[in-house]
PDB file of all heavy atoms in Angstrom:
ATOM      1  N   ALA A 406      81.908  55.832  99.602  1.00  0.00           N
ATOM      2  CA  ALA A 406      81.783  57.276  99.794  1.00  0.00           C
ATOM      3  C   ALA A 406      82.961  57.817 100.605  1.00  0.00           C
ATOM      4  O   ALA A 406      83.464  58.923 100.336  1.00  0.00           O
ATOM      5  CB  ALA A 406      80.463  57.601 100.486  1.00  0.00           C
ATOM      6  N   ILE A 407      83.402  57.036 101.608  1.00  0.00           N
ATOM      7  CA  ILE A 407      84.579  57.439 102.391  1.00  0.00           C
ATOM      8  C   ILE A 407      85.807  57.492 101.487  1.00  0.00           C
ATOM      9  O   ILE A 407      86.596  58.448 101.540  1.00  0.00           O
ATOM     10  CB  ILE A 407      84.811  56.454 103.559  1.00  0.00           C
ATOM     11  CG1 ILE A 407      83.638  56.515 104.552  1.00  0.00           C
ATOM     12  CG2 ILE A 407      86.126  56.759 104.271  1.00  0.00           C
ATOM     13  CD1 ILE A 407      83.693  55.454 105.627  1.00  0.00           C
ATOM     14  N   ALA A 408      85.956  56.460 100.638  1.00  0.00           N
ATOM     15  CA  ALA A 408      87.094  56.423  99.710  1.00  0.00           C
ATOM     16  C   ALA A 408      87.034  57.597  98.734  1.00  0.00           C
ATOM     17  O   ALA A 408      88.067  58.223  98.429  1.00  0.00           O
ATOM     18  CB  ALA A 408      87.108  55.101  98.953  1.00  0.00           C
ATOM     19  N   LEU A 409      85.828  57.925  98.242  1.00  0.00           N
ATOM     20  CA  LEU A 409      85.657  59.048  97.318  1.00  0.00           C
ATOM     21  C   LEU A 409      86.039  60.365  97.988  1.00  0.00           C
ATOM     22  O   LEU A 409      86.696  61.220  97.375  1.00  0.00           O
ATOM     23  CB  LEU A 409      84.211  59.108  96.822  1.00  0.00           C
ATOM     24  CG  LEU A 409      83.874  60.287  95.883  1.00  0.00           C
ATOM     25  CD1 LEU A 409      84.729  60.224  94.613  1.00  0.00           C
ATOM     26  CD2 LEU A 409      82.380  60.290  95.534  1.00  0.00           C
ATOM     27  N   ALA A 410      85.648  60.526  99.258  1.00  0.00           N
ATOM     28  CA  ALA A 410      85.989  61.754  99.987  1.00  0.00           C
ATOM     29  C   ALA A 410      87.503  61.900 100.141  1.00  0.00           C
ATOM     30  O   ALA A 410      88.062  62.982  99.922  1.00  0.00           O
ATOM     31  CB  ALA A 410      85.306  61.756 101.352  1.00  0.00           C
ATOM     32  N   ILE A 411      88.172  60.803 100.493  1.00  0.00           N
ATOM     33  CA  ILE A 411      89.637  60.849 100.674  1.00  0.00           C
ATOM     34  C   ILE A 411      90.336  61.138  99.349  1.00  0.00           C
ATOM     35  O   ILE A 411      91.224  61.994  99.276  1.00  0.00           O
ATOM     36  CB  ILE A 411      90.138  59.518 101.277  1.00  0.00           C
ATOM     37  CG1 ILE A 411      89.592  59.334 102.697  1.00  0.00           C
ATOM     38  CG2 ILE A 411      91.668  59.483 101.294  1.00  0.00           C
ATOM     39  CD1 ILE A 411      89.878  57.967 103.291  1.00  0.00           C
ATOM     40  N   VAL A 412      89.918  60.438  98.291  1.00  0.00           N
ATOM     41  CA  VAL A 412      90.518  60.656  96.969  1.00  0.00           C
ATOM     42  C   VAL A 412      90.262  62.086  96.498  1.00  0.00           C
ATOM     43  O   VAL A 412      91.143  62.732  95.900  1.00  0.00           O
ATOM     44  CB  VAL A 412      89.963  59.639  95.956  1.00  0.00           C
ATOM     45  CG1 VAL A 412      90.386  60.005  94.537  1.00  0.00           C
ATOM     46  CG2 VAL A 412      90.438  58.233  96.290  1.00  0.00           C
ATOM     47  N   SER A 413      89.068  62.618  96.772  1.00  0.00           N
ATOM     48  CA  SER A 413      88.734  63.981  96.351  1.00  0.00           C
ATOM     49  C   SER A 413      89.614  65.008  97.057  1.00  0.00           C
ATOM     50  O   SER A 413      90.063  65.989  96.446  1.00  0.00           O
ATOM     51  CB  SER A 413      87.259  64.280  96.635  1.00  0.00           C
ATOM     52  OG  SER A 413      86.412  63.424  95.895  1.00  0.00           O
ATOM     53  N   VAL A 414      89.863  64.799  98.347  1.00  0.00           N
ATOM     54  CA  VAL A 414      90.745  65.711  99.091  1.00  0.00           C
ATOM     55  C   VAL A 414      92.144  65.685  98.492  1.00  0.00           C
ATOM     56  O   VAL A 414      92.757  66.732  98.255  1.00  0.00           O
ATOM     57  CB  VAL A 414      90.789  65.330 100.589  1.00  0.00           C
ATOM     58  CG1 VAL A 414      91.911  66.081 101.292  1.00  0.00           C
ATOM     59  CG2 VAL A 414      89.463  65.639 101.267  1.00  0.00           C
ATOM     60  N   LEU A 415      92.656  64.489  98.220  1.00  0.00           N
ATOM     61  CA  LEU A 415      93.998  64.357  97.645  1.00  0.00           C
ATOM     62  C   LEU A 415      94.059  64.963  96.237  1.00  0.00           C
ATOM     63  O   LEU A 415      95.045  65.625  95.877  1.00  0.00           O
ATOM     64  CB  LEU A 415      94.418  62.889  97.606  1.00  0.00           C
ATOM     65  CG  LEU A 415      94.542  62.184  98.969  1.00  0.00           C
ATOM     66  CD1 LEU A 415      94.922  60.722  98.780  1.00  0.00           C
ATOM     67  CD2 LEU A 415      95.570  62.890  99.846  1.00  0.00           C
ATOM     68  N   ALA A 416      92.996  64.748  95.443  1.00  0.00           N
ATOM     69  CA  ALA A 416      92.960  65.314  94.090  1.00  0.00           C
ATOM     70  C   ALA A 416      92.903  66.833  94.144  1.00  0.00           C
ATOM     71  O   ALA A 416      93.548  67.523  93.333  1.00  0.00           O
ATOM     72  CB  ALA A 416      91.763  64.765  93.323  1.00  0.00           C
ATOM     73  N   TYR A 417      92.158  67.351  95.108  1.00  0.00           N
ATOM     74  CA  TYR A 417      92.041  68.810  95.229  1.00  0.00           C
ATOM     75  C   TYR A 417      93.383  69.459  95.575  1.00  0.00           C
ATOM     76  O   TYR A 417      93.803  70.429  94.932  1.00  0.00           O
ATOM     77  CB  TYR A 417      90.993  69.163  96.282  1.00  0.00           C
ATOM     78  CG  TYR A 417      90.931  70.638  96.594  1.00  0.00           C
ATOM     79  CD1 TYR A 417      90.490  71.553  95.638  1.00  0.00           C
ATOM     80  CD2 TYR A 417      91.327  71.129  97.838  1.00  0.00           C
ATOM     81  CE1 TYR A 417      90.444  72.910  95.910  1.00  0.00           C
ATOM     82  CE2 TYR A 417      91.280  72.484  98.117  1.00  0.00           C
ATOM     83  CZ  TYR A 417      90.839  73.363  97.151  1.00  0.00           C
ATOM     84  OH  TYR A 417      90.800  74.709  97.430  1.00  0.00           O
ATOM     85  N   VAL A 418      94.070  68.925  96.583  1.00  0.00           N
ATOM     86  CA  VAL A 418      95.352  69.533  96.968  1.00  0.00           C
ATOM     87  C   VAL A 418      96.398  69.334  95.877  1.00  0.00           C
ATOM     88  O   VAL A 418      97.289  70.171  95.692  1.00  0.00           O
ATOM     89  CB  VAL A 418      95.858  68.990  98.325  1.00  0.00           C
ATOM     90  CG1 VAL A 418      94.894  69.332  99.445  1.00  0.00           C
ATOM     91  CG2 VAL A 418      96.127  67.498  98.278  1.00  0.00           C
ATOM     92  N   ALA A 419      96.281  68.238  95.107  1.00  0.00           N
ATOM     93  CA  ALA A 419      97.235  68.005  94.017  1.00  0.00           C
ATOM     94  C   ALA A 419      97.042  69.020  92.902  1.00  0.00           C
ATOM     95  O   ALA A 419      98.011  69.650  92.435  1.00  0.00           O
ATOM     96  CB  ALA A 419      97.070  66.586  93.478  1.00  0.00           C
TER      97      ALA A 419
END
Side-chain angles (χ1 to χ4, degrees):
I407 295 172
L409 177 61
I411 294 172
V412 170
S413 297
V414 168
L415 297 178
Y417 173 67
V418 298

